[in-house]
DNA sequence: CTGATGATTATGTATATACATTATATCCAT
DNA sequence: ATGGATATAATGTATATACATAATCATCAG
């Protein structure tokens, strides 16, 4: 393999293997070759130069263009496949995907951090805790066994003097038996649970509701005020660990999700 | 560190390079080796067997365990690094990352598909369209140039006889000049835009609001009814393409975000 | 024209090797 | 001890090679 320092290869920046006499000209860390290929191809796709359905050059053509081995090209393209920008078909080639669904990445932080990042003092207040048998409604929510026992917690998270969020939680004692000994008076159940149980998946449901009388009172808002409700179910290998409903009052709270174009597959 | 179901290599299913005489025993498509390594390691992390901060085996150790080349191990671990499960430090080793934020993946589909997947007939109705210069408020929203021109569209998406979603959109004519010739009477701007402009990033803001008088009338609901509002800004390489506000009436509409395991983290 | 067959070709996976990079550890002289 | 040079170990990147797999294409018999 050759890698001639200044020619043929498209858009190639100078200074490749030249650390011979003048080490001072370090040239600001050029990225690795497979990254450059990835970025070039990504750029062509995002700019529209290669529209959806377009067949990108074969691996052996890119190998030729960049004067590198096939493995290097393959690494770049494989990554773009994982990101959902490209689809590959044997014998046929690699094609720019048609964007279907956008997949947004919603970052969900601990409530304490959320509050503190607003520059407000955080306070946690547990309101109620009881352990009881699962009712039919709980089993619908969490797919529990008939005789399952739960811990039910109601708590408020404050930002300054204002209620920031109402937390209503169920914990499956079959999955987290230690919860029976925990009062949750000082520590919020979310933080406690992470330290106890590794978990493998979760599901979020986000909707807008009007505050009912009880919720309104707890959150110090008028009944009927629109609230953002996030319901999260968390489980670990098929076993439900916890169900939590977080109710954020008023129109102030926002969930922010950053996006990248994608259609199937993994998140990045 | 032993997982011996059959022999030396951990968790290794039989039939690996034995295609000598009996090709009939094909053994139900075992996954590739690097995938198996990836899944094994991921499993150990998600199960909590390797907690945050734990140093996973060195590449050369995994090479030994799985009786494969370093490149294969490297491919698996590199993927886990991209997923945020593992952090690597040269000369030191690879470590299970500590939790920071949980990231949920929110799939956002075309509204037509959303409606149809509910088994309801979809109908689109454009209400208004005008092209105009950007106002100060628009520029705050979209970071536009002073003299930018926009197309403004208001439309309704119906599920059966009921309004499903109110769409209010601005399109930056500098980014999509073709929009000036498009009436958007038959085609919804979302679908049209996707076919016109490749986009590289977007930002979503999700919140609950009470319907104002105008919105309430359009959506055939009472003023003040809680609505889920999704605001999306989309751009391509630093240029804003479009801003859209989607207002879903009532408490019925839900956004669902599946959590693709990325690591055992906070916000349970 | 139709359908089977086999060649061709692009991708998928894996190996063995090489050298670069970067922390860490060790040792030696002060 | 302390500071600094040196060795060492683990990851990062890249190459050349090999064979497997799957889809397409061309060919040819019927």
């Amino acid at each position: 393999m050759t890698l001639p320092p200044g020619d043929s290869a498209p858009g190639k920046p100078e200074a490749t293997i030249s650390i011979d006499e003048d080490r001072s000209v370090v040239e600001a860390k050029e990225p690795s070759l497979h990254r450059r290929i990835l970025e070039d191809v990504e750029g062509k796709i995002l700019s529209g130069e290669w529209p959806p359905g377009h067949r990108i050059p074969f691996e052996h053509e890119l190998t030729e263009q960049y004067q590198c081995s096939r493995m290097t090209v393959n690494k770049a393209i494989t990554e773009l496949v994982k990101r959902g920008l490209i689809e590959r078909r044997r014998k046929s080639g690699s094609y720019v995907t048609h964007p279907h669904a956008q997949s947004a990445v919603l970052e969900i932080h601990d409530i304490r951090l959320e509050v503190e990042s607003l520059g407000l003092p955080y306070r946690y207040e547990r309101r109620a805790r009881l352990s009881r048998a699962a009712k039919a409604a709980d089993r619908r929510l969490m797919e529990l066994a008939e005789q399952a026992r739960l811990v039910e917690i109601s708590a408020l998270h404050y930002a300054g003097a204002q209620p920031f969020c109402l937390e209503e939680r169920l914990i499956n004692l079959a999955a987290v038996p230690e919860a029976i000994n925990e009062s949750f008076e000082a520590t919020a159940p979310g933080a406690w649970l992470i330290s106890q149980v590794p978990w493998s998946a979760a599901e979020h449901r986000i909707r807008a509701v009007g505050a009912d009388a009880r919720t309104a009172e707890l959150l110090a808002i008028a009944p009927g005020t629109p609230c953002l409700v996030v319901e999260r179910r968390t489980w670990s290998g098929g076993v439900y660990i916890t169900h939590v409903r977080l109710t954020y009052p008023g129109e102030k709270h926002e969930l922010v999700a950053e996006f990248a174009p994608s259609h199937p597959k993994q998140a990045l």
Side-chain angles (χ1 to χ4, degrees), chain A:
Chain A
M1 203 61 321
T2 30
L3 281 198
D7 63 86
S8 58
K12 179 178 240 170
E14 304 305 295
T16 320
I17 333 174
S18 55
I19 320 164
D20 25 18
E21 40 175 353
D22 188 358
R23 286 189 55 84
S24 62
V25 190
V26 192
E27 212 113 326
K29 189 68 173 181
E30 81 180 65
S32 58
L33 183 48
H34 68 260
R35 274 218 63 145
R36 260 194 355 93
I37 299 175
L38 187 153
E39 281 162 13
D40 285 358
V41 173
E42 187 183 36
K44 292 233 169 63
I45 294 172
L46 294 182
S47 73
E49 189 175 332
W50 291 347
H54 176 86
R55 208 209 76 228
I56 76 168
F58 297 127
E59 291 191 352
H60 71 261
E61 292 175 314
L62 291 171
T63 284
E64 188 66 27
Q65 279 175 37
Y66 287 92
Q67 285 296 296
C68 68
S69 80
R70 207 191 118 211
M71 281 300 290
T72 305
V73 169
N74 187 277
K75 185 164 191 173
I77 305 300
T78 299
E79 173 61 21
L80 288 174
V81 170
K82 285 194 201 118
R83 294 195 196 171
L85 282 167
I86 286 177
E87 217 174 59
R88 314 197 81 178
R89 285 202 288 280
R90 274 168 159 145
K91 166 72 201 231
S92 173
S94 304
Y95 300 82
V96 178
T97 50
H98 294 266
H100 268 90
Q102 303 172 356
S103 65
V105 178
L106 195 60
E107 291 248 316
I108 298 181
H109 298 272
D110 188 76
I111 296 173
R112 149 170 258 130
L113 295 175
E114 250 182 277
V115 169
E116 286 172 349
S117 74
L118 295 171
L120 293 168
Y122 171 79
R123 188 163 64 83
Y124 165 76
E125 179 188 306
R126 197 214 64 188
R127 291 185 34 77
R129 177 198 180 283
L130 75 154
S131 72
R132 58 172 177 80
K135 300 175 198 163
D138 304 328
R139 287 205 297 276
R140 239 189 340 272
L141 226 50
M142 293 173 73
E143 294 172 17
L144 297 163
E146 185 71 31
Q147 9 61 296
R149 290 196 65 81
L150 305 171
V151 170
E152 180 177 4
I153 299 142
S154 168
L156 278 170
H157 302 264
Y158 285 86
Q162 290 293 315
F164 179 76
C165 171
L166 170 64
E167 170 171 356
E168 295 163 288
R169 186 183 289 268
L170 300 172
I171 299 173
N172 181 7
L173 278 171
V176 202
E178 302 87 343
I180 198 73
N181 300 317
E182 182 62 48
S183 74
F184 300 110
E185 267 178 58
T187 39
W192 181 83
L193 274 167
I194 328 160
S195 67
Q196 293 291 314
V197 204
W199 53 284
S200 52
E203 184 200 72
H204 298 83
R205 310 188 90 88
I206 301 157
R207 59 186 209 278
V209 304
D212 60 30
R214 196 183 67 92
T215 305
E217 195 194 326
L218 290 173
L219 291 172
I221 53 178
T225 305
C227 294
L228 192 67
V229 171
V230 177
E231 277 187 304
R232 174 160 56 230
R233 296 194 294 174
T234 308
W235 58 93
S236 177
V239 181
Y240 276 77
I241 300 173
T242 186
H243 175 279
V244 60
R245 173 164 50 227
L246 302 169
T247 306
Y248 297 87
E251 309 190 351
K252 278 165 289 185
H253 191 73
E254 275 187 339
L255 285 173
V256 179
E258 296 290 340
F259 282 70
S262 187
H263 107 266
K265 278 274 149 190
Q266 286 110 340
L268 188 268

